[in-house]
Amino acid sequence: MVPLLWIAIGLLFLRLAASLWLSALNRASVRRHEGRPPAAVAAIMDEATYAKAGRYTLAKSRFGDVGEVFDALVLSLVLVGGVLPALFDETATWGGPESTWNHAAFIVLAGLLLSVPSLPFDWWEQFGLEQRFGFNQSTPGLWVADKLKGALLGVAIGFPLLWGLLSLVHLAGPQWWIWGFALMFGFQLLMLILYPKLILPLFNKLTPLPAGELRERLFALGERTGFRANSIEVIDGSKRSGHSNAYFTGFGRFRRIVLFDTLVAQLTPTELEAVLAHEIGHYRRGHIPRLIALSAAMMLAGFGAIAWLAGSSWFNPAFGFPPAQLAPSFLLFGLLSGSLTFWFTPLSNLLSRRHEYEADAFAREAMGGPEPLVAALRKLAQKNLTNLTPHPWFSGFHYSHPTLAEREAALLRG
Ligand SMILES: [Zn+2]
């Protein structure tokens, strides 16, 4: 029988191969349309912008490939090299036989350690790739501060949470994983509320949209569509990047709409109204509770799987850890489950794209026609150098949003 370690590494490289193949297909599709854009493109981008978007897509795709190969190699070496079991043995000596804080420390330390190799890639993405295409607004100082803050937050939040989760085994016995799920799910809901209030301000400044025509129009839209917004906020995304976006966070009473300052600068009031109508569409069509329920179901399944693996006599030892130890199973699950969930990406994106169509249709109704949203989407594609000619398999697999052509067709059809 093939040892589990090699099966895990095989799955890692199977995923890598599929991913590289899809991005190669996508690059071929971009090159095929180089200098020969489809007729519909003329309405969206001029020739120079289209050519630049092509170069941006190709550069990003090649950079992504290198990063993925590197990540797979690093993880394989870590798994084969026995670094993590050595770290576990070391941290196990920090506490008594019943203590769990040191096991939580093991997972946190391993997470920090594993995030180090990709740091040069993150740096290059920001100051090489994004810089070259005019998107970078960050500075080396801000970049370092972001990474440090991120790591500190990860420890400050991750450590107590993991400590609590690992302690549940002693408190709740074999059914711990159901309680673990409840703890984690409760934490996730809490974060939906607290994240914009406590964590986001550590990285960005959020200001209420100032009074004026735009604010009047957006609140009027809220009234008209049955979405009483407590506030509409503008986030200083321009501090780091020229890319623009709008999003929606929270649920129920805690919902809030956040617009990037770059978006406010790029779109006309009517176009912004259409974008906000789309975001309200997500809310009014019930997408948010549906996604929360779906992620809860996945999380419960994940906890069940971890409990099963941790309880087995074969899982931990296959990777050099002692059996019947929860912390290593947790970490291994976190590192390896992506090789399996990757294959379900198209399914979750299919659902996501269906939601996008529904939100677009809602925006069309609210705006009395498709034109404002179409204009907004075209401008966003232009400003963000969106790839207008992705390979259909690549977009089918990876895109959470339909392509611009698909969205326009659906908007104009209805
Ligand atoms: Zn959307």
Side-chain angles (χ1 to χ4, degrees), residues 128-149:
L129 185 69
E130 294 290 293
Q131 174 82 39
R132 182 142 60 93
F133 288 92
F135 288 119
N136 174 43
Q137 310 266 25
S138 188
T139 60
L142 181 61
W143 187 88
V144 171
D146 281 351
K147 290 289 172 196
L148 285 176
K149 272 191 239 173

Side-chain angles (χ1 to χ4, degrees), residues 107-158:
I107 300 179
V108 169
L109 284 174
L112 286 175
L113 203 68
L114 289 168
S115 68
V116 171
S118 63
L119 283 178
F121 285 85
D122 292 348
W123 174 279
W124 173 254
E125 182 173 22
Q126 190 69 22
F127 299 106
L129 185 69
E130 294 290 293
Q131 174 82 39
R132 182 142 60 93
F133 288 92
F135 288 119
N136 174 43
Q137 310 266 25
S138 188
T139 60
L142 181 61
W143 187 88
V144 171
D146 281 351
K147 290 289 172 196
L148 285 176
K149 272 191 239 173
L152 283 174
L153 264 176
V155 174
I157 295 173

Side-chain angles (χ1 to χ4, degrees), residues 212-365:
E213 192 215 338
L214 180 61
R215 203 180 111 102
E216 295 301 308
R217 288 179 72 148
L218 296 187
F219 273 108
L221 170 78
E223 287 293 320
R224 192 161 89 230
T225 51
F227 177 89
R228 225 151 300 234
N230 300 322
S231 74
I232 299 168
E233 283 161 302
V234 181
I235 186 170
D236 59 345
S238 62
K239 192 174 158 188
R240 293 186 183 80
S241 167
H243 286 298
S244 46
N245 207 347
Y247 63 91
F248 183 98
T249 68
F251 55 91
R253 218 155 54 72
F254 304 103
R255 61 182 186 260
R256 48 208 283 170
I257 296 241
V258 180
L259 304 171
F260 274 54
D261 56 353
T262 35
L263 190 79
V264 178
Q266 286 166 1
L267 300 185
T268 67
T270 313
E271 289 162 357
L272 267 170
E273 202 181 328
V275 169
L276 185 58
H278 169 98
E279 296 301 319
I280 293 174
H282 281 305
Y283 169 76
R284 293 281 292 167
R285 292 282 176 261
H287 298 162
I288 292 125
R290 220 184 296 165
L291 289 182
I292 292 176
L294 193 66
S295 99
M298 302 281 291
M299 196 190 284
L300 185 62
F303 269 99
I306 294 172
W308 173 62
L309 294 171
S312 77
S313 57
W314 46 267
F315 183 66
N316 284 354
F319 298 93
F321 292 103
Q325 288 288 348
L326 188 51
S329 305
F330 245 106
L331 181 67
L332 288 167
F333 182 83
L335 295 177
L336 301 174
S337 58
S339 308
L340 296 177
T341 54
F342 168 80
W343 302 99
F344 296 96
T345 318
L347 271 183
S348 69
N349 280 332
L350 198 65
L351 178 68
S352 169
R353 291 195 298 264
R354 222 177 61 197
H355 287 171
E356 293 307 322
Y357 283 127
E358 286 176 16
D360 280 355
F362 183 91
R364 184 184 52 211
E365 296 295 303

